[in-house]
Amino acid sequence: MSVFDGIPFFAGLDPTRAETFARQCMRKRYSEEELVLDFDDHSTDVYFIVSGDVRVLIRTAAGKEMIFGDFGPGKFFGEMAAIDGAKRSANVTALTNAELLLVPPAVFREIVLHEPEICDRLLRILTSRVRELNMRLFERSVLDLRHRLYAELLRMSAPRKGHDGQSIVSPPPFQHDLAARIGCRREQVSRELTAMIDEGLAEKIRGGLVLLRPSVLEKRVQDAMNDAD
């Protein structure tokens, strides 16, 4: 069994090369709420999530922190430091007990540069992340708090099984987390969620926050963006 087994990013890696690289990598366990890495760390390993979940916080130029996202099994982070050697630009903390595979930068670059399939996979993932960051920046620039909240909830949601046309954010998001994601105060998020519930756009259930009419939220966000033009 290889340390790379079960990690989608390494699918297609030559078994012989994998065996060589595996000797330079290590799996490490983290406890819930344990710090994985912090802003300005000099470490350059790439972290691949084998099990559990982590939260990635990024810091703005003004020093404010924003939740970039929660990553689960199969995802990875830390690739930028492995590529350019710069200090860490994010804080990562384990949300649950987690097991991570730490890949040294030299190994990461060797794999990417000599495995075309994996290189293409990395380029697509990085492009997707840039697009998402660009969209968030655009939203922060042109949308008011209400529509930023709509957009973030839509991003966080998944189709609700057995309920056509509905989506669900599960587990239910904490209000202070939503505030950190869209750049506002918890009290403002609370007011907007109450308004959504009163309007029949959302419903709180034990398993999560249900978006009863996500198509309406999508249209409102798009209309707000068009008006900003």
Side-chain angles (χ1 to χ4, degrees):
M1 179 178 178
S2 168
V3 294
F4 301 111
D5 288 349
I7 301 177
F9 181 82
F10 295 106
L13 178 61
D14 178 81
T16 302
R17 289 167 59 80
E19 184 177 351
T20 300
F21 294 136
R23 301 189 190 104
Q24 303 173 62
C25 304
M26 64 175 290
R27 289 195 179 193
K28 186 175 180 181
R29 296 182 182 275
Y30 293 85
S31 301
E32 181 179 348
E33 297 186 359
E34 184 177 352
L35 179 68
V36 178
L37 57 84
D38 205 357
F39 301 105
D40 291 336
D41 280 357
H42 289 282
S43 63
T44 52
D45 289 340
V46 185
Y47 294 73
F48 291 83
I49 304 173
V50 179
S51 64
D53 298 279
V54 304
R55 169 160 293 166
V56 180
L57 295 170
I58 58 177
R59 179 176 289 166
T60 68
K64 293 184 178 180
E65 294 181 356
M66 181 179 74
I67 295 176
F68 176 72
D70 298 337
F71 290 3
K75 302 295 185 180
F76 65 91
F77 56 91
E79 72 286 346
M80 291 193 297
I83 293 171
D84 63 12
K87 295 179 181 179
R88 299 292 189 182
S89 59
N91 166 290
V92 183
T93 302
L95 288 176
T96 65
N97 292 336
E99 182 179 3
L100 307 180
L101 172 66
L102 280 61
V103 179
V107 172
F108 179 74
R109 290 197 298 268
E110 179 73 13
I111 292 174
V112 169
L113 292 175
H114 294 88
E115 298 281 350
E117 182 181 351
I118 295 178
C119 180
D120 181 71
R121 191 173 296 141
L122 174 64
L123 292 174
R124 290 178 181 276
I125 292 172
L126 293 180
T127 299
S128 175
R129 291 183 181 180
V130 170
R131 290 184 188 279
E132 181 176 348
L133 283 172
N134 285 344
M135 179 55 68
R136 289 188 175 207
L137 177 62
F138 180 70
E139 290 170 1
R140 290 287 290 267
S141 300
V142 305
L143 296 182
D144 60 17
L145 182 155
R146 173 171 297 177
H147 292 91
R148 293 203 307 274
L149 178 60
Y150 290 169
E152 189 63 26
L153 289 173
L154 288 167
R155 254 192 304 271
M156 296 173 66
S157 68
R160 187 184 182 194
K161 293 181 181 179
H163 296 79
D164 291 342
Q166 295 184 9
S167 297
I168 186 169
V169 182
S170 182
F174 292 110
Q175 293 179 1
H176 64 271
D177 286 347
L178 287 172
R181 287 175 181 270
I182 64 174
C184 69
R185 298 189 304 276
R186 185 196 64 78
E187 294 79 11
Q188 293 173 297
V189 168
S190 178
R191 285 197 298 270
E192 293 301 333
L193 288 175
T194 298
M196 290 176 65
I197 293 171
D198 290 344
E199 195 178 348
L201 295 172
E203 177 185 8
K204 292 181 180 179
I205 63 173
R206 185 174 182 179
L209 177 68
V210 178
L211 305 184
L212 298 171
R213 293 185 288 164
S215 59
V216 173
L217 301 180
E218 291 170 357
K219 185 176 186 305
R220 290 184 180 182
V221 171
Q222 189 58 54
D223 288 346
M225 287 184 173
N226 292 338
D227 291 343
D229 293 340

